[in-house]
Amino acid sequence: MKTRMTTGLKNGALLLLTAVVGFSIAGCGTTQQAASTNGAAPKAGGAAAEPAKTEAKQEEKKLSGKLVVYSAGPKELAESIQKGYEAKTGVKIEMFQGTTGKILSRMEAEKANPVVDVVVLASLPSAQGLKKSGMTLEYKEAKNADKLIPEWSDKDGNFFGYSASALGIGYNTKLVKTPPKEWADLTKEEWKGKINIPDPALSGSALDFVTGYLSTRGDSGWELLDQYKKNGAVMAGANQEALDPVITGSKSIVAAGVDYMTYQAKAKGEPIDMIYPASGTVISPRPAAIVKTSKNVDNAKAFIDYLLSDEAQKMVAETYLLPGRKDVAAKDRPGVEQIPQMKVDWAWMDTNGDAVTKKFTQLFK
């Protein structure tokens, strides 16, 4: 929604390299060298270390040119990752930022002449759809892929869940003194005309929530959404457009709001907070994938490696998203283990996403 880029070494250098302990060459062109301790002379075969270093440094310089990335937000994270990757590799990124829906529409429009190398989406089923359509390039050797939460990524390396958000009930703390506790609470009279809900045609995470909810309840799940509509809930654009009126106080609640935006606003002092219903919600992974038609495959693989690096995963946490790696903690927000989750059917969500979007849009128009 791929073979790993490793720097090549000539046969002679490989023979010398076997004597160096712990030496590896990783996807973004960085190296780790086994160092002799206390300045002692290297033991047998140690003389090979310096030639290997020299060759590795030469290999680092081979990444050049550009990389075209289509990325869902948040904007500050996409820009930080762009700067970090460019500084590490010397490769220049041409970035298009938009919602998952806009990215997929742009890819469809460019189908006859594709230009994108890497897509970063806000919906796992959307990445599954790209894989199913044969549009992704396998990259099984991505560095740190073994540290990712397995359920968020493709086992064959077609896409990598480098981060995630959870969907919850966001509310204005000045207007709401006793927040709702469950999704069904939003059908009560006290919330009539006070609720926004994001448009799943524009928001990948909102689509994940709606399809995820329906995957656990079948057609009866539409009853809740129909009651939302009857209670005056308004479909209000993508995530930020749905959240902003709640921050300003023109609405009280955002249903199926994306959590990291709420936590960002709260950290800035806005009167906003979020709850996750005890009955469960959907955690929406944000997958990155290399497009099979990429003209810059080596650069694209290096980008995936960078997304999964310590540096980039720290950026993810700083943005109040859930890091994709199990060994990286979330910052100032509930972690994955603290969020009650529905047992959703991702395959059903992928298959039925278009039909659900169409029906939802007709219901709330």
Side-chain angles (χ1 to χ4, degrees):
M1 253 239 164
K2 299 184 174 161
T3 57
R4 175 174 185 172
M5 184 196 74
T6 54
T7 49
L9 294 170
K10 298 190 181 340
N11 292 334
L14 274 171
L15 293 174
L16 294 174
L17 182 60
T18 56
V20 182
V21 179
F23 186 94
S24 65
I25 300 175
C28 286
T30 58
T31 61
Q32 289 183 316
Q33 313 290 345
S36 57
T37 59
N38 300 323
K43 298 185 185 301
E50 192 58 39
K53 283 183 184 179
T54 301
E55 186 169 351
K57 288 180 179 178
Q58 291 172 346
E59 291 291 333
E60 285 178 10
K61 298 177 182 178
K62 287 190 176 180
L63 285 180
S64 61
K66 71 175 184 178
L67 183 71
V68 180
V69 178
Y70 292 175
S71 179
K75 180 180 179 181
E76 61 269 31
L77 176 60
E79 291 176 349
S80 293
I81 288 172
Q82 177 178 356
K83 291 176 183 177
Y85 171 82
E86 289 179 344
K88 237 175 190 9
T89 64
V91 175
K92 295 300 179 183
I93 289 180
E94 294 180 4
M95 178 82 73
F96 168 74
Q97 293 184 45
T99 64
T100 295
K102 289 180 179 178
I103 288 171
L104 296 178
S105 295
R106 182 163 178 154
M107 291 177 69
E108 179 65 25
E110 296 172 346
K111 199 169 183 179
N113 185 28
V115 297
V116 62
D117 298 302
V118 176
V119 290
V120 182
L121 305 174
S123 169
L124 180 61
S126 295
Q128 291 174 321
L130 293 180
K131 175 189 173 183
K132 187 184 296 184
S133 300
M135 297 176 66
T136 54
L137 180 72
E138 287 186 2
Y139 182 28
K140 292 182 179 179
E141 294 81 17
K143 188 178 181 184
N144 291 317
D146 59 327
K147 299 176 183 177
L148 292 171
I149 296 172
E151 296 80 10
W152 297 0
S153 299
D154 177 60
K155 62 182 179 61
D156 295 320
N158 284 279
F159 55 82
F160 304 87
Y162 84 104
S163 66
S165 61
L167 289 305
I169 298 174
Y171 62 95
N172 185 300
T173 55
K174 289 183 177 180
L175 300 176
V176 180
K177 300 306 178 184
T178 305
K181 296 181 179 180
E182 281 294 343
W183 301 111
D185 290 346
L186 301 182
T187 65
K188 296 178 179 178
E189 180 70 20
E190 64 184 296
W191 305 118
K192 189 172 183 66
K194 299 178 180 179
I195 301 170
N196 273 350
I197 189 166
D199 182 352
L202 298 175
S203 165
S205 55
L207 178 60
D208 281 1
F209 173 79
V210 176
T211 54
Y213 181 82
L214 292 171
S215 78
T216 67
R217 288 164 173 77
D219 285 341
S220 64
W222 285 104
E223 294 176 9
L224 177 70
L225 300 172
D226 185 58
Q227 290 174 19
Y228 280 4
K229 173 62 177 177
K230 290 177 180 178
N231 207 31
V234 175
M235 184 174 67
N239 295 304
Q240 195 67 58
E241 289 83 1
L243 178 63
D244 283 344
V246 179
I247 293 174
T248 61
S250 61
K251 294 286 184 178
S252 298
I253 298 282
V254 57
V258 64
D259 61 356
Y260 77 90
M261 289 184 179
T262 299
Y263 295 129
Q264 285 179 339
K266 182 180 178 181
K268 294 175 182 176
E270 300 289 0
I272 192 81
D273 210 343
M274 171 157 288
I275 67 104
Y276 305 105
S279 60
T281 187
V282 177
I283 291 182
S284 178
R286 305 171 74 82
I290 301 174
V291 180
K292 185 173 283 186
T293 53
S294 170
K295 299 177 179 64
N296 303 286
V297 172
D298 286 348
N299 294 346
K301 290 178 179 178
F303 185 81
I304 296 296
D305 284 348
Y306 185 70
L307 280 182
L308 309 188
S309 69
D310 293 352
E311 183 173 293
Q313 287 292 293
K314 183 179 179 181
M315 294 176 188
V316 169
E318 292 286 338
T319 317
Y320 297 95
L321 282 162
L322 295 164
R325 277 175 41 178
K326 296 175 288 186
D327 59 335
V328 180
K331 178 186 176 182
D332 298 333
R333 55 150 299 151
V336 174
E337 67 285 349
Q338 298 169 290
I339 301 172
Q341 295 183 58
M342 300 176 189
K343 294 183 179 180
V344 301
D345 184 340
W346 291 105
W348 187 95
M349 293 160 69
D350 172 33
T351 301
N352 293 277
D354 289 344
V356 167
T357 300
K358 183 176 180 181
K359 185 172 181 178
F360 187 96
T361 302
Q362 289 175 339
L363 175 63
F364 279 88
K365 67 180 181 179

